[in-house]
Amino acid sequence: MERRKVEFKDDVRGYLEATFVNEAQNKEECGSYFDVLQERLASPPMFTTLRLNTTKHSAEEIHAIINQELQKVYTDRKWDPPQSFLHPELDDVLVIENRGPRPIKKMEKEVIIDQSCGMAVMRGADIFVQGILGAPTNMMSGDLVSVVVDLDGRVLKGDTQPLSGPRLHVGNGVAKFDRDAIFKSQPPPSGVGILMTEPLYEAPCLSDLRPDLIMAQNLPSIVCTHVLDPKPGERILDMCAAPGGKTTHIASRMQNKGEVIAIDRSDVKVEKIRSNLERWALTCVTCHACDALKVTVGQRGGDINFPEIPAEYFDRILLDVPCSALGQRPSIKNAMTLNSLKSYPGYQRKFIRKAVQLLRPGGVLVYSTCTITMEENEKQAVWMLENFPELILIAQHPHLGSRGRQCRGLSDDQRQVLQMFDPACDISRDGSCDKMAVYNRDTIGFFIAKFTKIKK
């Protein structure tokens, strides 16, 4: 089966390669490393991780419930039931093994979707009606259709012609509506438009699957909250909270006792966070729809009068900054421009400055991204240490990823306490992930740095 690589714009690819080469001691292996990294980014992780709501049920009880639900879902699609297990090092995580890629026969009729929808399908999603861009005029409910991704983004909504440009066949599924019902009905139908029965990658479809008990979340994102280690009764800031998985995790780990402030600039996303908190009966979180950079820092010792927050108010801050997101998987064709890519480090530093002001001495700051660039990860950690002498890198628990990559300004000891989830770490000659379990290694690209603040 053809091996795909994520496509970057030429100048972006050159910039990324040059960065890795400049920092590496063994420059010969950088080319092969980057080739493998591009391949890994183009495919989905072969494990789905679910965070469990253990406030009312044990992890074992939830595992049994979800296993039963998955058996039914997989049987209905004529799939073999999946292998699943509780993560041996994280007490609130269920791991499900995915399968693929597998050969897919091309059907006579094909449905066209965009790249974002296609990437969701590769991680187990069905296709909702609004995600269908094009379909043949003779498509009827019940037809078995091929699902193809328009990689160039040129197909217009309602197209009737087969896709002629670059494509990716992500599987076959059953149409739940006639074509005319999808494109001509007023109002248009809602819900699942294509039920994926023969996907390229077999992964659990989790829509409406016991949202009171589970939340799908990438493993490194779950690890991030465990590294923050929030305690009952503490004051915690989730500074860039959307989509909210970490917010609910923080409140859960605090046993719903304490004060959590969650900030995000999107009203819609904040409402989604509130909905998830309500579903899990978590009441210790206050959400604000606001750009975190517009928070003003007041005098120490006062109370919050949002958007003013007293200086050094929080015991712990999670700063999952806006980033280039180049670690997300799968990704086939990335439209990121070089100017956009280069803009992120400076933008992130504005959040870092604010976070340091709001963290009390002795408090903990966890900085994280879902990208692979040195500038937003290891080099950002170097910048923080150089510009804020009150910050000290400290060890992370758990440490399931590999150590930080070689970077000027970081000692070997400092690299050891950084945590990098690198999809291509297994080809590195430094042995940093030789002992990692495959389910900890086969993840999205993600970076975590943990600091404590001392008195100046």
Side-chain angles (χ1 to χ4, degrees):
M1 187 169 290
E2 178 190 4
R3 284 192 167 188
R4 284 188 169 270
K5 294 181 181 180
V6 60
E7 293 181 33
F8 295 113
K9 292 182 181 296
D10 289 344
D11 54 355
V12 169
R13 177 188 165 89
Y15 177 75
L16 292 172
E17 283 189 298
T19 301
F20 293 131
V21 168
N22 289 339
E23 295 297 333
Q25 288 182 353
N26 188 337
K27 302 187 186 303
E28 292 180 358
E29 73 176 23
C30 285
S32 58
Y33 165 79
F34 195 68
D35 284 341
V36 172
L37 180 61
Q38 285 183 284
E39 284 185 9
R40 301 278 169 82
L41 292 174
S43 64
M46 294 310 296
F47 298 89
T48 295
T49 47
L50 307 179
R51 186 163 55 76
L52 311 180
N53 182 3
T54 55
T55 56
K56 295 182 179 178
H57 299 275
S58 69
E60 291 76 14
E61 288 171 334
I62 298 174
H63 185 191
I65 293 169
I66 298 304
N67 229 17
Q68 193 172 27
E69 297 273 357
L70 288 175
Q71 293 271 354
K72 182 178 184 304
V73 170
Y74 276 56
T75 299
D76 288 347
R77 299 183 192 226
K78 298 182 172 58
W79 301 351
D80 293 331
Q83 297 294 316
S84 64
F85 56 93
L86 294 173
H87 195 287
E89 295 164 272
L90 301 172
D91 58 7
D92 54 1
V93 175
L94 177 63
V95 182
I96 301 170
E97 295 185 21
N98 305 331
R99 305 186 186 106
R102 64 180 186 181
I104 302 295
K105 182 180 178 182
K106 187 179 184 301
M107 297 292 107
E108 179 185 348
K109 300 176 184 179
E110 69 178 30
V111 165
I112 304 170
I113 59 176
D114 66 17
Q115 187 175 176
S116 62
C117 184
M119 301 308 100
V121 169
M122 291 171 72
R123 295 203 68 172
D126 290 316
I127 301 166
F128 284 83
V129 169
Q130 58 266 39
I132 298 174
L133 291 179
T137 54
N138 61 347
M139 186 183 81
M140 305 298 289
S141 176
D143 284 350
L144 185 62
V145 298
S146 285
V147 177
V148 296
V149 178
D150 169 26
L151 294 177
D152 273 355
R154 294 181 179 177
V155 173
L156 300 177
K157 190 80 170 178
D159 207 328
T160 62
Q161 300 303 309
L163 184 60
S164 58
R167 60 168 57 208
L168 174 62
H169 185 189
V170 292
N172 301 330
V174 176
K176 307 303 288 184
F177 297 95
D178 299 349
R179 184 197 187 281
D180 284 354
I182 294 172
F183 293 108
K184 295 183 179 180
S185 298
Q186 290 299 329
S190 60
V192 173
I194 307 292
L195 183 75
M196 296 302 298
T197 54
E198 300 174 8
L200 180 63
Y201 291 90
E202 222 174 75
C205 182
L206 300 169
S207 53
D208 299 324
L209 182 67
R210 295 307 301 262
D212 59 320
L213 294 180
I214 62 171
M215 182 176 293
Q217 204 171 351
N218 288 304
L219 181 71
S221 296
I222 299 173
V223 171
C224 202
T225 300
H226 280 275
V227 167
L228 183 68
D229 195 24
K231 306 291 187 185
E234 289 184 329
R235 294 169 170 174
I236 313 286
L237 173 62
D238 190 353
M239 201 166 176
C240 305
K246 298 182 189 70
T247 309
T248 57
H249 199 189
I250 290 168
S252 297
R253 300 301 294 180
M254 295 171 69
Q255 301 170 26
N256 203 27
K257 298 174 183 175
E259 180 183 12
V260 181
I261 303 297
I263 303 173
D264 195 85
R265 65 190 304 172
S266 165
D267 292 303
V268 173
K269 291 178 180 177
V270 166
E271 280 307 309
K272 180 68 181 296
I273 296 171
R274 289 185 177 126
S275 175
N276 287 334
L277 291 166
E278 185 176 347
R279 185 178 292 118
W280 283 29
L282 297 168
T283 57
C284 68
V285 181
T286 302
C287 299
H288 296 280
C290 172
D291 183 345
L293 296 180
K294 294 183 179 178
V295 168
T296 57
V297 180
Q299 294 294 317
R300 284 190 298 270
D303 294 323
I304 292 178
N305 183 21
F306 202 84
E308 182 178 282
I309 299 178
E312 301 182 348
Y313 183 84
F314 293 102
D315 300 296
R316 300 174 196 263
I317 296 177
L318 175 59
L319 181 53
D320 189 41
V321 287
C323 71
S324 58
L326 297 187
Q328 291 293 351
R329 298 173 60 193
S331 175
I332 301 298
K333 197 167 186 177
N334 195 297
M336 177 75 64
T337 65
L338 185 57
N339 284 340
S340 180
L341 180 61
K342 287 182 174 180
S343 72
Y344 280 101
Y347 184 50
Q348 292 159 353
R349 289 169 186 175
K350 296 178 181 179
F351 290 91
I352 293 168
R353 290 187 180 96
K354 188 81 67 173
V356 174
Q357 290 178 287
L358 294 172
L359 183 67
R360 70 166 176 81
V364 168
L365 170 62
V366 170
Y367 170 89
S368 64
T369 76
C370 60
T371 193
I372 55 161
T373 72
M374 300 286 288
E375 287 75 12
E376 297 172 78
N377 295 335
E378 289 89 349
K379 289 187 177 182
Q380 201 69 290
V382 171
W383 180 86
M384 293 170 74
L385 293 170
E386 289 176 346
N387 286 272
F388 299 98
E390 65 268 39
L391 293 183
I392 298 175
L393 277 170
I394 57 175
Q396 302 182 31
H397 303 287
H399 197 294
L400 304 183
S402 56
R403 60 175 172 259
R405 294 164 295 188
Q406 290 174 342
C407 178
R408 278 179 291 237
L410 287 177
S411 68
D412 286 343
D413 287 343
Q414 289 171 324
R415 286 177 58 209
Q416 289 286 356
V417 298
L418 296 175
Q419 187 161 197
M420 181 73 201
F421 289 87
D422 180 353
C425 73
D426 55 312
I427 73 155
S428 172
R429 295 178 186 172
D430 69 0
S432 64
C433 70
D434 287 351
K435 297 181 180 179
M436 287 170 60
V438 64
Y439 48 84
N440 291 334
R441 188 172 68 230
D442 187 7
T443 69
I444 64 169
F446 203 93
F447 175 81
I448 307 173
K450 184 176 185 179
F451 300 86
T452 189
K453 181 180 178 181
I454 60 173
K455 290 185 178 180
K456 292 186 180 180

